[in-house]
Amino acid sequence: MWPDRRIIDLFKTEFPIVLAPMAGVMDAELVIAVAEGGGLGSLPSAMLSADKAREQVNIIRQRVNAPVNMNFFCHRAVDADPAREARWRQRLATYYGEYGLDPNAPVNAANRAPFDDAFCGVVEELKPEVVSFHFGLPEPKLLQRVKTTGAVVMSSATTVKEAIWLEENGADVVIAQGAEAGGHRGMFLTDNIAEQPGTFALVPQVVDAVKVPVIAAGGIADGRGIAAAFALGASGVQIGTAYLRCPESKVIPAARVALAQASDESTVITNVMTGRPARGVANRVMREVGPISPDAPVFPHAATALGPLKVASEKQGKVEFTNLWAGQAVRMGRDMPAAELTRALAGAAMTRMSALSQL
C-alpha cells in the first residue's frame, strides 16, 4: 500500500512514521508506545546524561522488540556571556519580582549538550538502530564511529542547501523540516528564519535534490498530511505535535490544557525561550518579551534565567514561562494512546492514498 517502502525497509518498522524526539516532554514510555503501534520511536537525548540515556534505552529494550532512534544536538557550544546574561536577567527582573524571586541568585545552567565523545561512546555501547541529529551532523570522526555501529544516520534540513550538505557529509536519510514544524528549527547553514520554506514547498525540492530517502516533517498530524507527504515524494513522515496529548507523554496538566485550547493561529517562532529559533504555542514571556528578542542570550543560555520563573509559574498551575513547543497543526492533536494513534494515522493515510489511486 505504501508507494515508497525505503524507510520501512531501512528502519524495519511496520509503518513509515517516525516519532519526533521532543526533549523535556517525553521519555521511554512514549517511545515504547509508538514502537508498539508500528512506528519508529525516538528518544531525545540532548538533555540526558550518559547514565540516564543508558537507563532509558534499557527500559525500551526490555519492553519492546523494535528499532529505536537516539536523537542528539550538534550545535556549536558557546560559553555564556556574563554581560549579556546580566542584561537578560534585568529584562526579566519584573517577572522575578512578581514571583518573589531574587534575579541575582545563582541558578543551574541550561543543559542542552552537543554530541561529543562521551555521547558517541554511549551510542557505540547501546547500538541504537537509528541515530538522528539536529543542527547538522557531528564532526567526521564522531560520525564515522556512529556509522561503524551499523546505525542509520539522519538529520534535519530546513533548506535544499542543507539537505544537499547532509547527503554529501554522510546522512543516510534527510528529514525535510518545514516552517510549520514545532520545536527548534534544525537550521545550521543559515540563521535567517524569514526565508524558511514550508513543508509543501520544501519536501519536493529536497526529494529532487538528493538521492537518499526523505522524511517530511512539519504540519503533519493526520492521514491526509501523511498521504500528501508521499504525494510530494517523501518516503516517510516525522510527527511530534500530534502525540503531545497522548497519555504516555510527560506534558504537565496546565500545558495539556494550553495545547488542547490552541488554534491554528496559536504558535509562533521565538528565540526567547532558549536563544535559538523554535516554534511553540505563545506563552506570556514569548508575547511580552518577544517572540524574537535581541536581548536573548545565545542558545541554550537564554533558558538559564527562565528556569526559576518556569518552576515558580508551574507551581501555581501556570505555563507563563514553560516551553510549549508545538507545530501549526497543534489543533489536530488527540487524546488517545500513542500506539492506537500511530495505527490510526497509518490506516487513515493508506485509506486516503488508496482512494486517490482510484481517481
Side-chain angles (χ1 to χ4, degrees):
M1 292 293 294
W2 297 99
D4 186 329
R5 293 186 54 87
R6 286 188 293 170
I7 287 297
I8 292 175
D9 294 339
L10 198 58
F11 295 163
K12 297 179 173 56
T13 53
E14 184 178 358
F15 304 126
I17 296 175
V18 177
L19 168 67
M22 299 177 287
V25 294
M26 61 164 289
D27 61 9
E29 293 302 316
L30 188 55
V31 176
I32 292 164
V34 170
E36 290 176 336
L40 176 68
S42 303
L43 179 69
S45 304
M47 293 175 65
L48 302 181
S49 66
D51 286 342
K52 188 65 175 181
R54 289 188 187 93
E55 174 191 281
Q56 291 287 291
V57 173
N58 286 334
I59 290 172
I60 297 166
R61 297 296 196 201
Q62 291 167 9
R63 296 266 301 278
V64 65
N65 181 22
V68 62
N69 167 36
M70 293 185 73
N71 174 261
F72 300 94
F73 287 171
C74 286
H75 60 285
R76 180 177 299 173
V78 178
D79 291 335
D81 179 341
R84 193 167 183 179
E85 291 282 322
R87 289 196 299 272
W88 185 232
R89 287 184 181 228
Q90 183 60 38
R91 182 67 179 84
L92 302 174
T94 301
Y95 302 119
Y96 271 78
E98 182 179 324
Y99 280 92
L101 302 171
D102 179 4
N104 297 312
V107 296
N108 294 327
N111 176 29
R112 289 168 179 81
F115 190 75
D116 57 12
D117 181 74
F119 273 138
C120 195
V122 172
V123 168
E124 290 170 322
E125 173 191 340
L126 299 175
K127 292 182 170 55
E129 288 77 6
V130 183
V131 177
S132 63
F133 297 102
H134 216 48
F135 314 134
L137 291 169
E139 61 180 83
K141 289 183 179 179
L142 291 178
L143 181 61
Q144 185 54 51
R145 285 169 58 187
V146 171
K147 294 176 78 72
T148 298
T149 69
V152 175
V153 171
M154 58 182 183
S155 185
S156 300
T158 66
T159 64
V160 172
K161 184 182 295 185
E162 288 178 345
I164 294 171
W165 187 95
L166 290 175
E167 181 180 50
E168 290 177 345
N169 286 273
D172 302 305
V173 176
V174 169
I175 301 167
Q177 186 194 36
E180 301 93 327
H184 285 99
R185 306 296 303 145
M187 49 207 296
F188 60 94
L189 293 183
T190 178
D191 58 7
N192 191 343
I193 59 172
E195 295 177 352
Q196 294 277 280
T199 304
F200 267 51
L202 179 63
V203 170
Q205 294 184 76
V206 170
V207 169
D208 288 346
V210 301
K211 296 182 175 62
V212 298
V214 175
I215 291 175
I220 301 169
D222 67 359
R224 292 171 296 180
I226 297 172
F230 273 83
L232 294 172
S235 302
V237 295
Q238 179 171 276
I239 298 175
T241 302
Y243 287 101
L244 286 172
R245 286 160 53 195
C246 292
E248 297 89 352
S249 84
K250 302 303 177 186
V251 176
I252 62 174
R256 286 181 183 271
V257 172
L259 292 169
Q261 294 176 344
S263 73
D264 60 312
E265 300 174 323
S266 295
T267 70
V268 298
I269 291 179
T270 182
N271 71 334
V272 167
M273 303 306 296
T274 67
R276 194 171 182 120
R279 181 178 293 282
V281 175
N283 59 22
R284 180 185 176 188
V285 72
M286 287 161 62
R287 288 191 297 267
E288 295 179 358
V289 177
I292 299 295
S293 172
D295 297 327
V298 296
F299 181 85
H301 303 298
T304 299
L306 288 169
L309 293 167
K310 176 180 182 291
V311 172
S313 175
E314 290 181 355
K315 283 182 179 179
Q316 296 184 12
K318 303 175 183 178
V319 287
E320 295 180 339
F321 304 91
T322 300
N323 297 337
L324 300 172
W325 298 148
Q328 289 182 330
V330 61
R331 189 176 184 175
M332 299 167 71
R334 285 180 260 178
D335 298 291
M336 61 191 299
E340 183 180 335
L341 176 57
T342 304
R343 288 190 289 267
L345 290 168
M350 288 189 285
T351 298
R352 176 71 58 162
M353 287 186 286
S354 178
L356 291 173
S357 70
Q358 305 302 315
L359 296 178

